[in-house]
Amino acid sequence: MLPRFVGRLGIADAVTIANAALGFVAVVVAFVDIDLAARLILLAAVADGLDGLLARRYGGTDTGPYLDSLADVASFAVAPAALAFVVVTDGLGISLESVSAELLLVSTICALFVAMAVARLGMYTAYDTADDYTEGVQTTLAATVLGAAILAGVADPVLVLAITGAFCYLMVSRIPYPDLLARDAGIMGVVHVLAILIPNFAGRTFPYALLTLGIAYMTLSPWLYWRDREDSGSQTTTTHGNA
């Protein structure tokens, strides 16, 4: 007897499910090889963009939107929180053998990151019906910034903890983030893939570039990107999705 998903799920759904699996593997690998875990999270972000492209090209299914949010919980909520937890506890020499105030603080901030990411994903599905913007930093972008920072060597434990804490608010804020123009999404996508494939090339150029692009979009686009969109009249899209 065939599994019940045979004939009900499409190729885009298969990529979405693979995205969730990548998130789990990233959590496991984080305790062994932090750079590889960061690359897996960035790869999951690529899969997150690819499943949308495949759904538009070959058609989606009724299950697709539910699978997408569930996969994002694994790859862009739990996995980056685990990444931050390992970087901070290792960097500050926090023992995992006994409960301490430092361990409770780090665990609380990382757990809050997961909670706010899940809240954002739920609110996005329920309320973000606009085609050209979303409210709050996308979970995919938050995970990408954390992953790129670690690959770029910007892994000071205090800074990573502060960034993780900041995302706890930014993901559920009311700040409007516009979709990227197809041109800009394409540029960011190329840099993203190169950061995964050759992260150590030329002094970690591509992780640095991805981190810079991500921070620039996160800090400037709500105020400076709208005019560019209106003036260009070009088709909009986003490499990282809005969730």
Side-chain angles (χ1 to χ4, degrees), residues 65-122:
Y66 301 99
L67 290 176
D68 191 62
S69 291
L70 290 171
D72 287 354
V73 169
S75 296
F76 311 127
V78 177
L83 203 69
F85 178 84
V86 172
V87 169
V88 175
T89 53
D90 283 357
L92 297 180
I94 298 174
S95 173
L96 304 182
E97 296 180 358
S98 61
V99 177
S100 63
E102 293 83 1
L103 181 59
L104 285 174
L105 175 63
V106 176
S107 299
T108 298
I109 292 176
C110 292
L112 187 61
F113 179 95
V114 174
M116 294 302 98
V118 171
R120 182 199 146 68
L121 289 166

Side-chain angles (χ1 to χ4, degrees), residues 123-239:
M123 289 188 294
Y124 172 77
T125 302
Y127 299 118
D128 285 13
T129 57
D131 292 331
D132 57 355
Y133 77 95
T134 183
E135 288 189 340
V137 168
Q138 301 92 326
T139 56
T140 320
L141 179 60
T144 295
V145 168
L146 284 169
I150 289 168
L151 283 181
V154 186
D156 178 82
V158 175
L159 179 59
V160 170
L161 188 63
I163 293 172
T164 305
F167 277 132
C168 293
Y169 166 73
L170 290 172
M171 288 189 294
V172 293
S173 71
R174 293 183 178 273
I175 301 172
Y177 284 91
D179 291 352
L180 289 174
L181 296 170
R183 170 202 64 207
D184 299 333
I187 293 171
M188 194 166 183
V190 170
V191 174
H192 192 129
V193 171
L194 290 174
I196 297 170
L197 295 177
I198 46 175
N200 296 318
F201 176 77
R204 307 192 184 209
T205 295
F206 295 116
Y208 269 114
L210 180 60
L211 178 61
T212 301
L213 290 171
I215 292 176
Y217 169 81
M218 188 173 64
T219 56
L220 300 177
S221 68
W223 298 275
L224 300 179
Y225 200 66
W226 298 99
R227 184 180 296 110
D228 291 341
R229 285 164 48 84
E230 292 168 358
D231 291 344
S232 66
S234 300
Q235 180 182 359
T236 60
T237 184
T238 173
T239 308

